[in-house]
PDB file of all heavy atoms in Angstrom:
ATOM      1  N   LYS A 116      30.488 -96.316  54.445  1.00 51.00           N
ATOM      2  CA  LYS A 116      31.888 -96.350  54.856  1.00 51.00           C
ATOM      3  C   LYS A 116      32.180 -96.799  56.317  1.00 51.00           C
ATOM      4  O   LYS A 116      33.110 -97.429  56.595  1.00 51.00           O
ATOM      5  CB  LYS A 116      32.421 -94.966  54.613  1.00 51.00           C
ATOM      6  CG  LYS A 116      33.893 -94.702  54.966  1.00 51.00           C
ATOM      7  CD  LYS A 116      34.334 -93.358  54.523  1.00 51.00           C
ATOM      8  CE  LYS A 116      35.868 -93.069  54.883  1.00 51.00           C
ATOM      9  NZ  LYS A 116      36.123 -91.743  54.555  1.00 51.00           N
ATOM     10  N   PHE A 117      31.242 -96.488  57.284  1.00 50.00           N
ATOM     11  CA  PHE A 117      31.456 -96.638  58.636  1.00 50.00           C
ATOM     12  C   PHE A 117      30.476 -97.888  59.173  1.00 50.00           C
ATOM     13  O   PHE A 117      30.409 -98.076  60.414  1.00 50.00           O
ATOM     14  CB  PHE A 117      31.134 -95.504  59.473  1.00 50.00           C
ATOM     15  CG  PHE A 117      31.949 -94.392  59.053  1.00 50.00           C
ATOM     16  CD1 PHE A 117      31.371 -93.055  58.574  1.00 50.00           C
ATOM     17  CD2 PHE A 117      33.401 -94.338  59.011  1.00 50.00           C
ATOM     18  CE1 PHE A 117      32.192 -92.089  58.164  1.00 50.00           C
ATOM     19  CE2 PHE A 117      34.189 -93.303  58.654  1.00 50.00           C
ATOM     20  CZ  PHE A 117      33.561 -92.182  58.229  1.00 50.00           C
ATOM     21  N   GLU A 118      29.775 -98.538  58.285  1.00 48.00           N
ATOM     22  CA  GLU A 118      28.892 -99.602  58.749  1.00 48.00           C
ATOM     23  C   GLU A 118      29.614-100.728  59.539  1.00 48.00           C
ATOM     24  O   GLU A 118      29.041-101.149  60.574  1.00 48.00           O
ATOM     25  CB  GLU A 118      28.330-100.236  57.533  1.00 48.00           C
ATOM     26  CG  GLU A 118      27.138-101.255  57.848  1.00 48.00           C
ATOM     27  CD  GLU A 118      26.321-101.737  56.562  1.00 48.00           C
ATOM     28  OE1 GLU A 118      26.459-100.893  55.595  1.00 48.00           O
ATOM     29  OE2 GLU A 118      25.929-102.748  56.680  1.00 48.00           O
ATOM     30  N   ASN A 119      30.787-101.103  59.167  1.00 58.00           N
ATOM     31  CA  ASN A 119      31.471-102.134  59.818  1.00 58.00           C
ATOM     32  C   ASN A 119      31.953-101.655  61.275  1.00 58.00           C
ATOM     33  O   ASN A 119      31.825-102.334  62.328  1.00 58.00           O
ATOM     34  CB  ASN A 119      32.797-102.567  59.171  1.00 58.00           C
ATOM     35  CG  ASN A 119      32.408-103.430  57.899  1.00 58.00           C
ATOM     36  OD1 ASN A 119      31.339-104.065  57.799  1.00 58.00           O
ATOM     37  ND2 ASN A 119      33.444-103.458  57.035  1.00 58.00           N
ATOM     38  N   GLU A 120      32.310-100.378  61.394  1.00 57.00           N
ATOM     39  CA  GLU A 120      32.745 -99.811  62.623  1.00 57.00           C
ATOM     40  C   GLU A 120      31.551 -99.720  63.671  1.00 57.00           C
ATOM     41  O   GLU A 120      31.655-100.082  64.812  1.00 57.00           O
ATOM     42  CB  GLU A 120      33.270 -98.322  62.508  1.00 57.00           C
ATOM     43  CG  GLU A 120      34.712 -98.349  61.958  1.00 57.00           C
ATOM     44  CD  GLU A 120      34.778 -98.291  60.470  1.00 57.00           C
ATOM     45  OE1 GLU A 120      33.694 -98.636  59.753  1.00 57.00           O
ATOM     46  OE2 GLU A 120      35.686 -97.954  59.921  1.00 57.00           O
ATOM     47  N   ALA A 121      30.392 -99.369  63.114  1.00 49.00           N
ATOM     48  CA  ALA A 121      29.222 -99.246  63.970  1.00 49.00           C
ATOM     49  C   ALA A 121      28.712-100.657  64.392  1.00 49.00           C
ATOM     50  O   ALA A 121      28.484-100.876  65.520  1.00 49.00           O
ATOM     51  CB  ALA A 121      28.014 -98.626  63.216  1.00 49.00           C
ATOM     52  N   GLY A 122      28.813-101.601  63.513  1.00 54.00           N
ATOM     53  CA  GLY A 122      28.524-103.054  63.851  1.00 54.00           C
ATOM     54  C   GLY A 122      29.471-103.560  64.950  1.00 54.00           C
ATOM     55  O   GLY A 122      29.039-104.246  65.861  1.00 54.00           O
ATOM     56  N   GLU A 123      30.720-103.232  64.766  1.00 60.00           N
ATOM     57  CA  GLU A 123      31.714-103.690  65.744  1.00 60.00           C
ATOM     58  C   GLU A 123      31.474-103.060  67.152  1.00 60.00           C
ATOM     59  O   GLU A 123      31.510-103.821  68.230  1.00 60.00           O
ATOM     60  CB  GLU A 123      33.098-103.268  65.258  1.00 60.00           C
ATOM     61  CG  GLU A 123      34.292-103.696  66.227  1.00 60.00           C
ATOM     62  CD  GLU A 123      35.593-103.204  65.797  1.00 60.00           C
ATOM     63  OE1 GLU A 123      35.807-103.260  64.523  1.00 60.00           O
ATOM     64  OE2 GLU A 123      36.375-102.873  66.629  1.00 60.00           O
ATOM     65  N   ALA A 124      31.161-101.747  67.123  1.00 57.00           N
ATOM     66  CA  ALA A 124      30.912-101.140  68.429  1.00 57.00           C
ATOM     67  C   ALA A 124      29.576-101.691  69.036  1.00 57.00           C
ATOM     68  O   ALA A 124      29.588-102.064  70.286  1.00 57.00           O
ATOM     69  CB  ALA A 124      30.640 -99.691  68.256  1.00 57.00           C
ATOM     70  N   LEU A 125      28.534-102.022  68.275  1.00 55.00           N
ATOM     71  CA  LEU A 125      27.384-102.507  68.871  1.00 55.00           C
ATOM     72  C   LEU A 125      27.580-103.872  69.344  1.00 55.00           C
ATOM     73  O   LEU A 125      27.109-104.260  70.428  1.00 55.00           O
ATOM     74  CB  LEU A 125      26.284-102.493  67.807  1.00 55.00           C
ATOM     75  CG  LEU A 125      24.922-103.097  68.316  1.00 55.00           C
ATOM     76  CD1 LEU A 125      24.373-102.310  69.469  1.00 55.00           C
ATOM     77  CD2 LEU A 125      23.862-102.993  67.064  1.00 55.00           C
ATOM     78  N   SER A 126      28.397-104.617  68.625  1.00 63.00           N
ATOM     79  CA  SER A 126      28.597-106.001  69.066  1.00 63.00           C
ATOM     80  C   SER A 126      29.416-105.982  70.378  1.00 63.00           C
ATOM     81  O   SER A 126      28.974-106.845  71.344  1.00 63.00           O
ATOM     82  CB  SER A 126      29.618-106.688  68.060  1.00 63.00           C
ATOM     83  OG  SER A 126      29.942-107.917  68.477  1.00 63.00           O
ATOM     84  N   GLN A 127      30.367-105.064  70.555  1.00 60.00           N
ATOM     85  CA  GLN A 127      31.097-105.005  71.837  1.00 60.00           C
ATOM     86  C   GLN A 127      30.204-104.579  72.997  1.00 60.00           C
ATOM     87  O   GLN A 127      30.184-105.085  74.144  1.00 60.00           O
ATOM     88  CB  GLN A 127      32.233-104.103  71.718  1.00 60.00           C
ATOM     89  CG  GLN A 127      33.354-104.709  70.809  1.00 60.00           C
ATOM     90  CD  GLN A 127      34.498-103.705  70.574  1.00 60.00           C
ATOM     91  OE1 GLN A 127      34.717-102.851  71.463  1.00 60.00           O
ATOM     92  NE2 GLN A 127      35.293-103.879  69.545  1.00 60.00           N
ATOM     93  N   ILE A 128      29.265-103.528  72.642  1.00 55.00           N
ATOM     94  CA  ILE A 128      28.335-103.088  73.641  1.00 55.00           C
ATOM     95  C   ILE A 128      27.435-104.257  74.095  1.00 55.00           C
ATOM     96  O   ILE A 128      27.185-104.425  75.213  1.00 55.00           O
ATOM     97  CB  ILE A 128      27.548-101.863  73.195  1.00 55.00           C
ATOM     98  CG1 ILE A 128      28.548-100.662  73.012  1.00 55.00           C
ATOM     99  CG2 ILE A 128      26.429-101.567  74.106  1.00 55.00           C
ATOM    100  CD1 ILE A 128      27.954 -99.523  72.215  1.00 55.00           C
ATOM    101  N   SER A 129      26.824-104.971  73.127  1.00 58.00           N
ATOM    102  CA  SER A 129      25.865-105.956  73.324  1.00 58.00           C
ATOM    103  C   SER A 129      26.465-107.122  74.135  1.00 58.00           C
ATOM    104  O   SER A 129      25.862-107.692  74.926  1.00 58.00           O
ATOM    105  CB  SER A 129      25.259-106.505  72.014  1.00 58.00           C
ATOM    106  OG  SER A 129      24.528-105.505  71.368  1.00 58.00           O
ATOM    107  N   GLU A 130      27.828-107.497  73.816  1.00 58.00           N
ATOM    108  CA  GLU A 130      28.411-108.520  74.508  1.00 58.00           C
ATOM    109  C   GLU A 130      28.482-108.234  75.992  1.00 58.00           C
ATOM    110  O   GLU A 130      28.340-109.002  76.874  1.00 58.00           O
ATOM    111  CB  GLU A 130      29.848-108.828  73.955  1.00 58.00           C
ATOM    112  CG  GLU A 130      29.702-109.564  72.632  1.00 58.00           C
ATOM    113  CD  GLU A 130      31.213-109.768  72.029  1.00 58.00           C
ATOM    114  OE1 GLU A 130      32.161-109.731  72.764  1.00 58.00           O
ATOM    115  OE2 GLU A 130      31.228-110.038  70.828  1.00 58.00           O
ATOM    116  N   LYS A 131      28.926-106.958  76.342  1.00 51.00           N
ATOM    117  CA  LYS A 131      28.993-106.557  77.692  1.00 51.00           C
ATOM    118  C   LYS A 131      27.619-106.392  78.344  1.00 51.00           C
ATOM    119  O   LYS A 131      27.554-106.662  79.549  1.00 51.00           O
ATOM    120  CB  LYS A 131      29.731-105.140  77.741  1.00 51.00           C
ATOM    121  CG  LYS A 131      31.114-105.226  77.298  1.00 51.00           C
ATOM    122  CD  LYS A 131      31.863-103.999  77.358  1.00 51.00           C
ATOM    123  CE  LYS A 131      33.261-104.144  76.891  1.00 51.00           C
ATOM    124  NZ  LYS A 131      34.050-102.899  76.801  1.00 51.00           N
ATOM    125  N   ASP A 132      26.577-106.075  77.659  1.00 51.00           N
ATOM    126  CA  ASP A 132      25.276-106.058  78.259  1.00 51.00           C
ATOM    127  C   ASP A 132      24.873-107.506  78.559  1.00 51.00           C
ATOM    128  O   ASP A 132      24.228-107.678  79.650  1.00 51.00           O
ATOM    129  CB  ASP A 132      24.276-105.547  77.128  1.00 51.00           C
ATOM    130  CG  ASP A 132      24.316-104.051  77.037  1.00 51.00           C
ATOM    131  OD1 ASP A 132      24.913-103.384  77.845  1.00 51.00           O
ATOM    132  OD2 ASP A 132      23.678-103.474  75.989  1.00 51.00           O
ATOM    133  N   LYS A 133      25.271-108.481  77.734  1.00 48.00           N
ATOM    134  CA  LYS A 133      24.708-109.941  78.060  1.00 48.00           C
ATOM    135  C   LYS A 133      25.558-110.395  79.311  1.00 48.00           C
ATOM    136  O   LYS A 133      24.966-111.116  80.025  1.00 48.00           O
ATOM    137  CB  LYS A 133      25.088-110.758  76.854  1.00 48.00           C
ATOM    138  CG  LYS A 133      24.244-110.614  75.704  1.00 48.00           C
ATOM    139  CD  LYS A 133      24.808-111.599  74.577  1.00 48.00           C
ATOM    140  CE  LYS A 133      24.070-111.289  73.251  1.00 48.00           C
ATOM    141  NZ  LYS A 133      24.532-112.127  72.087  1.00 48.00           N
ATOM    142  N   ALA A 134      26.737-109.984  79.508  1.00 47.00           N
ATOM    143  CA  ALA A 134      27.524-110.349  80.744  1.00 47.00           C
ATOM    144  C   ALA A 134      26.962-109.784  82.017  1.00 47.00           C
ATOM    145  O   ALA A 134      27.204-110.330  82.972  1.00 47.00           O
ATOM    146  CB  ALA A 134      28.973-109.867  80.476  1.00 47.00           C
TER     147      ALA A 134
END
Side-chain angles (χ1 to χ4, degrees):
K116 183 176 176 182
F117 304 121
E118 190 172 331
N119 289 339
E120 287 88 343
E123 180 182 325
L125 180 58
S126 173
Q127 290 177 23
I128 292 167
S129 296
E130 284 177 20
K131 290 178 183 177
D132 285 347
K133 287 177 189 175

